[in-house]
Amino acid sequence: MTVSTTTGFRLWPGRLAPEAQAALVAEVLELSQAAPFYRPITPGGKAMSVQTTNLGPLGWFTDAAGYRYQATHPQTGEPWPAIPQVLLDLWAELADRRTPPDACLVNLYRGDARMGLHQDRDEADFSFPVLSVSLGDTAVFRLGGLKRTEPTSSTRLSSGDVCLLAGEARLFHHGVDRILAGSSRLIPGGGRINLTLRRAA
Ligand code: SIN
Ligand code: MN
């Protein structure tokens, strides 16, 4: 079932079957051997509570110099691993049939990791949507509007759920209040992995 609003936020609950979720987690964890998860440092100098890595030609990155996309892992200096085919197919089906994503941010939430309300605005062209895949523990996801001060609502994102920020919602504020620890047993060691596919360049 697709939950659709006029704003361009769409949610496909349980879009990935349990077997597909398990295969994707295994593939992402395998790829993270070459591109290890690390805690990014915000421009303000704080380590984020979430651990990240990236897949694809470009990866989202932050340090004291600011937010940007770069082609290599900050610690290994190596290019990010390729985006798995299953994610490219999902993007082609749900986000944009003609232009593939060139970046996939991988967020790993363990314990009390969270993500503050923000906009995704480091990409070159906001006409491309952002496609998000949730795996593992359920997230309490917060969605607001174009302005930070607009009212927000909270939605649960469970394992296998896929959502799209497109159209007006492309620049909506969003964040993760918390993770419901133990709500899934999919991720070894517990927690949640979120994959966001983007067109960065
Ligand atoms: C993000 O905004 O980068 C991640 C959102 C999520 O974890 O669901
Ligand atoms: Mn985001």
Side-chain angles (χ1 to χ4, degrees):
M1 184 190 66
T2 304
V3 178
S4 173
T5 70
T6 53
T7 62
F9 177 78
R10 298 182 72 187
L11 171 63
W12 291 268
R15 176 63 181 72
L16 293 185
E19 310 77 55
Q21 296 172 35
L24 186 53
V25 166
E27 190 167 3
V28 167
L29 292 180
E30 173 68 27
L31 294 172
S32 75
Q33 300 287 320
F37 286 98
Y38 63 94
R39 287 178 70 188
I41 308 294
T42 66
K46 277 196 191 150
M48 292 175 71
S49 58
V50 68
Q51 302 174 58
T52 71
T53 187
N54 288 274
L55 306 170
L58 291 171
W60 186 83
F61 178 74
T62 169
D63 62 11
Y67 303 125
R68 60 196 181 275
Y69 282 89
Q70 67 176 39
T72 54
H73 190 289
Q75 292 169 349
T76 68
E78 296 291 326
W80 307 102
I83 300 174
Q85 189 61 43
V86 62
L87 293 174
L88 296 175
D89 292 346
L90 203 61
W91 171 279
E93 186 183 333
L94 304 178
D96 190 300
R97 203 169 305 161
R98 278 189 295 272
T99 310
D102 59 5
C104 177
L105 173 63
V106 186
N107 291 317
L108 172 63
Y109 300 79
R110 299 238 201 235
D112 54 10
R114 55 186 296 281
M115 188 170 293
L117 204 65
H118 67 278
Q119 291 172 296
D120 288 355
R121 53 179 316 139
D122 302 313
E123 301 74 29
D125 183 350
F126 301 140
S127 68
F128 290 106
V130 171
L131 187 70
S132 152
V133 178
S134 292
L135 297 165
D137 283 343
T138 298
V140 181
F141 180 74
R142 188 157 293 281
L143 185 65
L146 289 173
K147 294 200 192 107
R148 170 170 288 276
T149 48
E150 282 177 51
T152 63
S153 60
S154 116
T155 308
R156 291 192 176 197
L157 295 181
S158 302
S159 198
D161 290 0
V162 175
C163 69
L164 188 76
L165 292 169
E168 193 195 351
R170 172 64 181 76
L171 286 172
F172 278 4
H173 284 77
H174 59 278
V176 172
D177 292 351
R178 64 197 171 92
I179 301 301
L180 305 182
S183 50
S184 158
R185 292 167 63 180
L186 187 69
I187 312 284
R192 171 176 186 258
I193 289 177
N194 175 260
L195 302 152
T196 43
L197 295 153
R198 298 120 185 262
R199 184 78 205 173

